[in-house]
Amino acid sequence: MTQTPGSTNPPSLRPDLAPKPRLGEAPRDGQPTLGMVSLGCPKALVDSERILTRLRAEGYGVSPDYSGADAVIVNTCGFLDSAKAESLEAIGEALKENGKVIVTGCLGAEPDYIREHHPRILAVTGPHQYEQVLDAVHAAVPPSPNPYVDLLPAAGVKLTPRHFSYLKISEGCNHKCKFCIIPDMRGKLASRPAHAVLREAEKLVDAGVRELLVISQDTSAYGLDRKYDVNPWKDGEVRSHIQDLSRELGKLAPADELWVRLHYVYPYPHVRELIPLMADPDNALLPYLDIPFQHAHPDVLRRMARPAAAAKTLDEINAWRATCPDITLRSTFIVGYPGETEAEFQHLLDWMDEAQLDRVGCFKYENVDGARSNDLPDHVPEEVKQERWERFMEKAQAISEAKLEAKVGQTMQVIVDDIDEDGIATCRTKADAPEIDGNLFIDEGTEGLQVGDLVTVEVDEAGEYDLWGVIAS
C-alpha cells in the first residue's frame, strides 16, 4: 500500500488550537454581512459560534472574506505571548483589508494593550461578552432582517464540520497555575446547568452531529460552583456533575451512532467513576481522557502551583487501564519551565516511559504578560528548551509509533472527516480528537463513503502518528 504523504498532525502542532472555522452559505442580496476571524482554542471557537448565532438571528450574513464584509470581528487568543502576537497580526490584517474591526476574546481583556497597537479598531470586548459584541456590531452595521428568508438552523451557526461539534459545559477556572492567566481573563469556574447542556447536546445530535467534544477550562470540576445541583431531565433528574452529565450524554444515541469525547479533565479522584462508563459498550462515552498533566516532577509541579502527585497519578492510570483496557490517554506538557533542571527533565522522560501515554502534545515554556511564573528565578535558556523539547518529542514519538504498530490487524470503528478528489478518506479512530491527534487513512474502496459516516475498518499499516486501513467486509 502507498502511504498518503505527510500527516496532517505533525508533532509540532500546538494543542491549544481549534480547527479552522468553516463559514456557511453566501449572504442574500442586500444582507448586512460580517467577517469572523476566530483564533485560539475550541472554547473560543464556541464563543464565535454563539456570537454568529445571535447575529444570524438578527439577519446578518457571514462573509468568507474581508472585502465582502461590512465589518470584521476578530476573536483573539491570549494564552501565550506568541498567541497575543498572532492576534495583533490578525487585527492588523483585518484593518488593512476591511477597515472596520471589532475585537473580542481573551486578549480583549487588555483593551489598552490592543489600542496601543491598533488605535483604529471600532470596539474591544472581553471573552464571552456577547451582548457587548452585538452592541458594537449594531453601531457599526445596523441590522436589516428579513424574517421570511433569514432562517436560523436549529443547532445555531456551527464553525466546525457538520458531523462534530464542541459542547462547552462551563466557563472559567478556579486553579491558580503560575504560568496561566486564563482565570484572570475568563474568571472563576461558572458551570452551565446540566439540563441546559443536555438540551443543547440533544439538538446537535438531532441536527446530525455524530461526535460531541466536551470542553471547558476544567471539565472534572464541572458543577462544583453549583454545589452539584439537581436539575429536571426527561422523566427524572440529573446532577450538574461530570459523572451524571457524561452518563446522560452517552445515552443520547446508540453507542454505534454517537461519540462523546471528554477534554481538559484534571485527574481528580472522582474521575475514576467515569471509567466504567467508558468501558460500557452501551454508552457512547468514548474511552478517551484528555488530561493536562503539564509535568511529572513534584518540584516542578509545585513551582507551577499544580497538584504534585505524579506517583499517585501512575497508580490512577494503572487503575483506569485495569477497568477499561482500551482507554486512550492524551496529555500536554511544558518543558523548560523556570528552574527546571536536567535531572527534573530526565524524571519527566522516565515517567513517560512508565505512563506510556497514547497521545502527547508539548509546549516550550513562554512568559505571558501578567503570569506569576515570569518572576520565578532560573529561567531556562531558549536553546536548552529547544533541545529538551526535541528529546521529549522523540520519546513521545517512539511510544506513539509502538502503540500504533500494535493496532495493525485490529478492527475498529472510525469517523470520516474528509474525502479528497482522489477518493482518499481521512478518518479518525476513537483514540483521535480533531486536529490534535492522528488520522486513519483509507485509500481504496471509498466510493460509497460520505463525510460524517461511522464505518468499521481493519488496520493494515501504521506510521509514527497515523494509521492506514481498509473497510471491513
Side-chain angles (χ1 to χ4, degrees), residues 14 23 79 91 161 173 249 252 283 324 362 387 418 422 437:
R14 270 176 46 191
L23 301 176
F79 181 60
I91 295 167
C173 181
L249 287 171
L252 290 176
N283 194 286
C324 183
C362 185
E387 186 260 348
D418 182 63
D422 296 321
D437 293 328

Side-chain angles (χ1 to χ4, degrees), residues 44-323:
L45 189 71
V46 172
D47 289 342
S48 296
E49 290 176 340
R50 289 181 178 172
I51 290 167
L52 290 181
T53 296
R54 299 276 290 272
L55 291 169
R56 188 76 179 79
E58 294 186 355
Y60 291 93
V62 182
S63 173
D65 55 58
Y66 295 123
S67 58
D70 296 304
V72 176
I73 302 169
V74 180
N75 191 0
T76 58
C77 178
F79 181 60
L80 301 169
D81 280 355
S82 57
K84 290 184 176 182
E86 184 181 9
S87 293
L88 289 176
E89 183 180 353
I91 295 167
E93 182 182 349
L95 283 169
K96 178 182 176 183
E97 298 294 330
N98 182 280
K100 288 186 173 182
V101 177
I102 295 160
V103 178
T104 187
C106 283
L107 193 57
E110 303 179 48
D112 294 341
Y113 174 78
I114 296 172
R115 289 190 182 281
E116 179 184 336
H117 291 83
H118 297 297
R120 292 197 298 122
I121 57 173
L122 298 179
V124 185
T125 73
H128 53 84
Q129 293 182 342
Y130 310 127
E131 284 73 20
Q132 289 92 323
V133 176
L134 263 64
D135 289 344
V137 169
H138 294 158
V141 185
S144 180
N146 183 333
Y148 300 103
V149 177
D150 299 332
L151 299 177
L152 185 67
V157 176
K158 308 307 295 180
L159 297 177
T160 51
R162 181 174 177 268
H163 63 285
F164 71 79
S165 181
Y166 293 102
L167 181 67
K168 185 157 64 168
I169 63 174
S170 66
E171 290 285 359
C173 181
N174 289 345
H175 291 287
K176 297 181 179 177
C177 304
K178 289 188 177 180
F179 57 82
C180 183
I181 59 171
I182 296 298
D184 297 330
M185 292 178 168
R186 290 188 170 259
K188 292 198 169 187
L189 178 70
S191 304
R192 299 172 61 196
H195 63 290
V197 176
L198 289 166
R199 268 203 309 267
E200 180 184 352
E202 192 172 47
K203 285 183 179 180
L204 290 169
V205 173
D206 289 344
V209 168
R210 308 299 292 272
E211 180 178 13
L212 296 170
L213 300 123
V214 178
I215 57 169
S216 68
Q217 213 59 49
D218 180 0
T219 296
S220 330
Y222 169 71
L224 177 65
D225 56 306
R226 305 183 65 87
K227 297 184 171 61
Y228 306 124
D229 59 343
V230 176
N231 302 264
W233 175 244
K234 304 290 187 182
D235 297 326
E237 294 179 327
V238 59
R239 289 182 305 159
S240 296
H241 188 285
I242 191 59
Q243 185 180 354
D244 288 29
L245 186 69
S246 298
R247 183 188 66 243
E248 295 302 321
L249 287 171
K251 290 160 57 176
L252 290 176
D256 60 350
E257 297 178 10
L258 176 67
W259 289 4
V260 179
R261 190 183 301 275
L262 299 183
H263 285 280
Y264 315 118
V265 179
Y266 281 72
Y268 302 141
H270 69 259
V271 169
R272 66 181 69 129
E273 306 303 326
L274 296 173
I275 311 304
L277 282 175
M278 296 180 174
D280 181 357
D282 295 325
N283 194 286
L285 185 68
L286 293 182
Y288 180 101
L289 279 178
D290 172 21
I291 301 179
F293 288 125
Q294 308 295 13
H295 210 279
H297 196 285
D299 292 341
V300 178
L301 290 168
R302 274 193 284 272
R303 290 198 298 275
M304 289 178 169
R306 304 270 299 176
K312 289 184 179 179
T313 299
L314 286 173
D315 292 339
E316 284 293 305
I317 288 173
N318 290 332
W320 298 339
R321 285 175 171 153
T323 302

Side-chain angles (χ1 to χ4, degrees), residues 430-445:
K430 293 180 179 180
D432 303 306
E435 299 291 312
I436 59 174
D437 293 328
N439 290 312
L440 182 144
F441 299 100
I442 307 172
D443 56 11
E444 56 187 37

